[in-house]
Amino acid sequence: MSDSEDRQTISAREDAARMLDAQRRMQDGVATYAQLTAGGLSRIDIERSVRRNELRRVHPRVYITHTGPLTWEQRAWAAVLYAAPAVLCRESLEAPRGRDDGRAIHVAIDHSRKVMPQPGIVVHRMRDLERKAYGGTPPRLKVEDNALAMANEARTEIDAIARVAEVASRSYVTATTLREALNRARSLRRRKLIQGLVDDLATGTHSVLEHGYLTKVERAHGLPSGRRQSPRIGASGDQFRDIEYDGYALVVELDGASATTLGATRPVMPIVRWTISPSSGR
């Protein structure tokens, strides 16, 4: 082999090693067998590293670079890489707030595939997954599609509404993006209910309680349509009023703490706090 070929071989090995190092940094120290071998490690190298506790097998053909407890992010990466191509979904769409409670990681794969079950991983098969996936690190299901998937599995209508209303309260989720997700959902329980909810969200309802007031109070009793999420400047900065009836100098603030009965099996009228607002200086 010529010196030129030697230099090319060495350069290719160095490039592969750098690529593996970048992958492991991006993936919180987690790597697949294929990534390790592409990075220059042989099967014998991997087995030796496992014996020396330099690598630890998390799932079949998925390894991590330490032997201590895994963080939530590392468990998420291990699950996604094991089931790849896969994305985080359901309760695992976002990292838990606070301490990791060790709950199983939920991932979605295309409906045409199957993977062997593994401890700590819940696999969901979804149609048209490629259209519903979002990049991210690790890759995730789009929040709108995830909300519809959870609403589809909800036991009650209130739970289904809550799943959709929760994501609708986020600034980057709109009625338009939810309608696009509805179009991607071929099979969806309670489609008519959820379609109506998305239409209501376009008017400004951002919670189960607000939706309950709209359908069980305002519409049911023929009240005029109020202005929802009305902005104002308060003592603590920008504030938003739940419903404001401009023509009647009336503000309705919905008290979520007092309306927990909305989760009951029977429809319950939400409890509200009425405030008479001066016609000027709101």
Side-chain angles (χ1 to χ4, degrees), residues 97-249:
R97 297 177 182 177
R99 186 176 180 179
D100 179 14
D101 59 9
R103 294 184 185 181
I105 301 294
H106 292 251
V107 298
I109 63 173
D110 191 81
H111 190 267
S112 62
R113 298 180 56 232
K114 291 183 179 180
V115 299
M116 291 294 293
Q118 293 296 319
I121 302 178
V122 179
V123 177
H124 304 264
R125 297 167 65 217
M126 297 187 68
R127 298 186 185 277
D128 299 323
L129 181 63
E130 186 175 346
R131 297 174 60 211
K132 300 174 181 177
Y134 169 73
T137 51
R140 291 165 161 82
L141 204 62
K142 293 177 181 177
V143 292
E144 297 91 345
D145 294 271
N146 195 64
L148 294 183
M150 296 184 76
N152 186 61
E153 299 168 353
R155 294 184 178 182
T156 68
E157 289 188 356
I158 287 294
D159 290 339
I161 292 171
R163 295 301 187 184
V164 179
E166 189 277 325
V167 300
S169 65
R170 306 182 187 193
S171 59
Y172 54 88
V173 176
T174 66
T176 299
T177 60
L178 282 167
R179 288 191 183 106
E180 291 171 352
L182 273 170
N183 292 335
R184 290 190 291 267
R186 294 186 184 181
S187 177
L188 182 66
R189 295 170 59 212
R190 308 184 183 99
R191 179 179 289 274
K192 185 176 180 180
L193 170 71
I194 295 174
Q195 179 66 64
L197 172 61
V198 172
D199 293 340
D200 292 341
L201 292 172
T203 70
T205 58
H206 286 169
S207 70
V208 175
L209 189 55
E210 290 178 38
H211 180 72
Y213 177 84
L214 174 64
T215 57
K216 295 179 173 64
V217 178
E218 190 173 274
R219 289 178 180 168
H221 295 275
L223 300 180
S225 296
R227 185 156 54 96
R228 285 166 169 79
Q229 300 300 312
S230 174
R232 66 188 291 269
I233 304 298
S236 58
D238 293 341
Q239 297 177 351
F240 294 88
R241 288 171 166 169
D242 289 335
I243 306 106
E244 190 165 3
Y245 295 95
D246 295 324
Y248 300 88

Side-chain angles (χ1 to χ4, degrees), residues 22-66:
Q23 287 174 326
R24 290 199 286 199
R25 286 200 305 272
M26 182 184 71
Q27 296 165 184
D28 287 281
V30 183
T32 64
Y33 182 89
Q35 289 173 335
L36 293 172
T37 54
L41 277 67
S42 67
R43 177 180 60 83
I44 294 175
D45 293 331
I46 295 172
E47 292 174 351
R48 183 186 302 115
S49 295
V50 170
R51 288 196 301 270
R52 292 176 176 175
N53 290 329
E54 296 168 350
L55 284 177
R56 169 188 166 192
R57 195 184 84 150
V58 183
H59 301 300
R61 305 178 76 80
V62 178
Y63 300 83
I64 192 164
T65 53
H66 66 79

